[in-house]
Amino acid sequence: MTPQIGFIGLGIMGKPMARNLHKAGFPVMIWNRSRQPMDELAGEGLKPADSIPTLAQRCTVVITMLPDSADVADVVNGATGLLQYMSPGSLLIDMSTILPETARQLAAAAHERGVTMLDAPVSGGDKGAIAATLSIMVGGDRTAFERALPIFQAMGKTITYCGSSGAGQIVKACNQIAVALNIAGVAEALALGQAAGIDPDIILRVLGGGLAQSKVLELRGPTMAQKTFVPGFRARLHLKDMNIIQATALTYHLQLPFSSLAQKHFQMLVERGYGDLDHSALALTVGHVDE
Amino acid sequence: MTPQIGFIGLGIMGKPMARNLHKAGFPVMIWNRSRQPMDELAGEGLKPADSIPTLAQRCTVVITMLPDSADVADVVNGATGLLQYMSPGSLLIDMSTILPETARQLAAAAHERGVTMLDAPVSGGDKGAIAATLSIMVGGDRTAFERALPIFQAMGKTITYCGSSGAGQIVKACNQIAVALNIAGVAEALALGQAAGIDPDIILRVLGGGLAQSKVLELRGPTMAQKTFVPGFRARLHLKDMNIIQATALTYHLQLPFSSLAQKHFQMLVERGYGDLDHSALALTVGHVDE
């Protein structure tokens, strides 16, 4: 039987994800804090809910796609949150990027009410959300993961079971660490090379042919060399991810000095008003910096 | 006419490079501070010189492959250095990795004596040197570069003209920046993921499928996850390169904070006695660190 899916959070990511579920043939009930995206999707055949409790009562699978840990904690486990209304045996999938610790706590709270919760953050940006090519990293019960697979396949291409609750969030955090530092590496390589008057195409070609090669170099190198930073993935969102990483490192008593430096540079970028530029704009914080 | 090539510096890199020139049909005269590698190559048909002046007088192309800037400056421009003895019109190619500033100064000194000098540092390690698959980054006069191309082709695969004197060294420096930070990114991603109990194969697979992909992740990720650090490229050599990068950044009034942090971590690694491990052993300086 095709499950009735509830989808909460119709932002730049959530709206196309809900739309893709509908296109794949799932009945989708939607809820969003602001009305506009609900009206838009209602015109396409998705069903607006009048409240979160209504959605929770009507759906056997509920997906959340929200800005941060506090939003998810409130919608899932607040006074009038999903867990007050979802039926035992139903499935809750949080696809937001949040603290792994919060993901684990909410999964435990869900479990107490007989609801299974998966953490399933994504990468691939709004383009991946629109094209249904997201990479989805999933933590939680393996059987629930398998049950949810057709749902994930309607929204993403590379779907990976990462381990128990929180594991999806951890792997997403790992991904954001590597991306941030690959950006920093390309940024400083270009800063030095360009200061010395080297043609950036030569730098990118030489580096791309050896151990310095990276997807960031390939996709963002040319635009970083030109200092054009059209998102893509916004710097303020990478800052949010770096904050999650630092907080998580602390809980494991880990020192991640390179990630910590990247956090500081994304913070600077946001403070200077560049938070809505692509994250590769980290390049603006190294090299010739006006103090 | 096939030029008589002189090759100075028969270390882990220089020895196989000289051998490959000989194999390609060039007559090669060799000199090294210690006798052993000269004797070895003499047995293969390369011709040992009795001194640097003799080699300089007999060869129309001289290649140097030495540990650092001071060695090259001494051999090229010391009291009994190459420039005192090389004939006007001959070609001097330094393939060591040294300060771009030193490369430019020596090229200027060579020019005053009618000798053309190219800086042509390499990447690809001893494996690349043995297999003649080095990447060679060349700075200096373009015509001299074209004249030297058959020589480079006997030692390397990817040969790139990068610009005027020092440009080869700059691009090599750019390469080492990106590699160092890609290593740092993989190191911290694995540190977090493994501390949280995630199977590193999952981390490497997910990261390799998206924007976090890099050659470092692909080639060194699996060994870094197992904390095995067989070189490869030795940490103490990457430290030397990071020192060059910091000194060069200073001459351009550039701030390269991520490279600076990488320098500090390679320094720590060397101080702890790990300088002869692969540079991916940078991973030992992040995560759970015993203080």
Side-chain angles (χ1 to χ4, degrees):
Chain A
M1 201 194 84
T2 306
Q4 171 71 48
I5 298 180
F7 202 108
I8 297 176
L10 305 171
I12 195 167
M13 297 293 291
K15 193 170 71 177
M17 289 164 72
R19 183 181 278 137
N20 284 330
L21 285 168
H22 174 72
K23 281 186 190 164
F26 292 101
V28 184
M29 182 171 275
I30 50 179
W31 194 85
N32 192 63
R33 206 181 316 200
S34 71
R35 187 77 215 176
Q36 196 274 328
M38 279 215 279
D39 290 344
E40 184 183 338
L41 290 182
E44 299 173 22
L46 290 85
K47 200 173 156 50
D50 57 15
S51 71
I52 288 181
T54 307
L55 181 143
Q57 285 158 347
R58 302 269 176 88
C59 299
T60 52
V61 177
V62 178
I63 297 173
T64 50
M65 189 60 177
L66 297 164
D68 66 29
S69 304
D71 298 307
V72 176
D74 186 49
V75 165
V76 169
N77 207 23
T80 59
L82 287 164
L83 292 181
Q84 309 298 319
Y85 304 97
M86 286 175 73
S87 310
S90 57
L91 179 62
L92 176 53
I93 306 172
D94 177 39
M95 302 188 75
S96 325
T97 294
I98 65 169
L99 282 164
E101 184 63 19
T102 304
R104 278 187 290 262
Q105 287 165 355
L106 293 176
H111 184 75
E112 279 177 25
R113 301 203 164 242
V115 173
T116 304
M117 182 167 179
L118 297 173
D119 51 296
V122 305
S123 71
D126 53 336
K127 277 183 197 166
I130 292 165
T133 57
L134 292 168
S135 172
I136 308 177
M137 294 147 268
V138 189
D141 180 70
R142 181 146 208 154
T143 308
F145 166 75
E146 277 153 19
R147 180 176 152 205
L149 204 48
I151 294 171
F152 291 135
Q153 284 163 341
M155 296 180 285
K157 205 169 63 172
T158 312
I159 297 137
T160 309
Y161 179 73
C162 299
S164 59
S165 278
Q169 296 296 348
I170 291 282
V171 174
K172 171 77 190 272
C174 295
N175 190 75
Q176 297 306 80
I177 289 173
V179 170
L181 289 162
N182 291 358
I183 289 174
V186 174
E188 293 199 352
L190 285 171
L192 179 62
Q194 292 186 286
I198 312 290
D199 177 352
D201 290 347
I202 290 174
I203 301 170
L204 296 175
R205 180 152 44 90
V206 171
L207 272 55
L211 191 55
Q213 180 277 338
S214 69
K215 207 75 182 171
V216 166
L217 183 86
E218 185 187 321
L219 297 180
R220 296 276 182 261
T223 49
M224 288 168 78
Q226 291 160 18
K227 303 244 188 287
T228 57
F229 303 111
V230 181
F233 183 70
R234 291 172 201 276
R236 63 179 165 76
L237 296 176
H238 212 142
L239 172 59
K240 180 200 127 186
D241 295 348
M242 299 316 290
N243 290 339
I244 287 173
I245 288 157
Q246 287 306 301
T248 306
L250 213 60
T251 68
Y252 290 109
H253 308 287
L254 292 176
Q255 294 179 29
L256 303 180
F258 291 90
S259 299
S260 174
L261 187 62
Q263 179 201 36
K264 287 189 189 82
H265 280 257
F266 281 122
Q267 180 75 51
M268 273 191 255
L269 204 55
V270 169
E271 281 167 6
R272 289 176 193 176
Y274 295 134
D276 282 320
L277 294 185
D278 186 67
H279 54 160
S280 59
L282 183 76
L284 295 173
T285 67
V286 303
H288 282 303
V289 180
D290 304 321
E291 289 300 314
Chain B
M1 201 194 87
T2 306
Q4 172 69 49
I5 299 180
F7 202 109
I8 298 176
L10 304 171
I12 195 167
M13 298 293 290
K15 192 171 71 177
M17 289 164 73
R19 183 181 278 138
N20 284 330
L21 286 168
H22 174 72
K23 281 186 191 164
F26 292 101
V28 184
M29 182 172 275
I30 50 178
W31 194 85
N32 192 63
R33 208 181 314 204
S34 70
R35 187 77 215 175
Q36 197 272 328
M38 281 215 279
D39 292 343
E40 184 182 338
L41 290 182
E44 300 173 20
L46 291 83
K47 198 172 158 50
D50 57 16
S51 70
I52 288 181
T54 306
L55 181 145
Q57 286 158 347
R58 303 268 175 87
C59 300
T60 51
V61 176
V62 178
I63 298 172
T64 49
M65 190 61 178
L66 297 164
D68 66 29
S69 305
D71 299 307
V72 176
D74 186 49
V75 165
V76 170
N77 205 23
T80 59
L82 288 164
L83 292 180
Q84 310 298 318
Y85 303 97
M86 286 175 74
S87 310
S90 57
L91 179 62
L92 177 53
I93 306 173
D94 178 39
M95 303 189 74
S96 325
T97 294
I98 65 169
L99 282 164
E101 184 63 16
T102 304
R104 277 188 292 263
Q105 287 165 355
L106 293 175
H111 185 73
E112 278 177 26
R113 302 205 163 240
V115 172
T116 304
M117 183 167 178
L118 298 173
D119 52 294
V122 306
S123 71
D126 53 334
K127 276 184 198 164
I130 292 165
T133 57
L134 292 169
S135 172
I136 308 177
M137 294 147 267
V138 189
D141 180 69
R142 181 148 210 152
T143 308
F145 165 75
E146 276 153 18
R147 181 176 149 204
L149 204 48
I151 294 171
F152 290 136
Q153 284 163 341
M155 296 180 285
K157 205 169 63 172
T158 312
I159 297 135
T160 311
Y161 180 74
C162 299
S164 59
S165 279
Q169 296 295 349
I170 292 282
V171 175
K172 172 75 190 274
C174 295
N175 190 75
Q176 297 306 81
I177 291 173
V179 171
L181 290 162
N182 290 358
I183 289 173
V186 174
E188 293 199 351
L190 285 171
L192 179 62
Q194 292 186 286
I198 312 288
D199 177 350
D201 290 347
I202 290 174
I203 300 169
L204 297 174
R205 179 152 45 90
V206 171
L207 272 55
L211 190 56
Q213 181 278 336
S214 69
K215 208 73 181 172
V216 166
L217 183 87
E218 185 187 320
L219 297 180
R220 296 276 181 262
T223 49
M224 288 168 79
Q226 291 160 18
K227 302 242 188 289
T228 58
F229 303 111
V230 181
F233 184 69
R234 289 172 201 276
R236 63 180 166 75
L237 296 176
H238 212 142
L239 172 59
K240 181 200 125 186
D241 295 348
M242 298 316 288
N243 290 338
I244 288 174
I245 288 157
Q246 288 306 300
T248 306
L250 214 58
T251 68
Y252 290 108
H253 308 287
L254 291 175
Q255 294 179 30
L256 303 180
F258 290 91
S259 299
S260 174
L261 186 63
Q263 181 202 34
K264 288 189 189 83
H265 279 257
F266 281 123
Q267 180 75 51
M268 272 191 256
L269 205 54
V270 169
E271 282 167 7
R272 289 177 193 178
Y274 295 133
D276 282 320
L277 294 186
D278 187 66
H279 54 162
S280 58
L282 184 76
L284 296 173
T285 68
V286 303
H288 283 303
V289 180
D290 304 321
E291 291 299 314

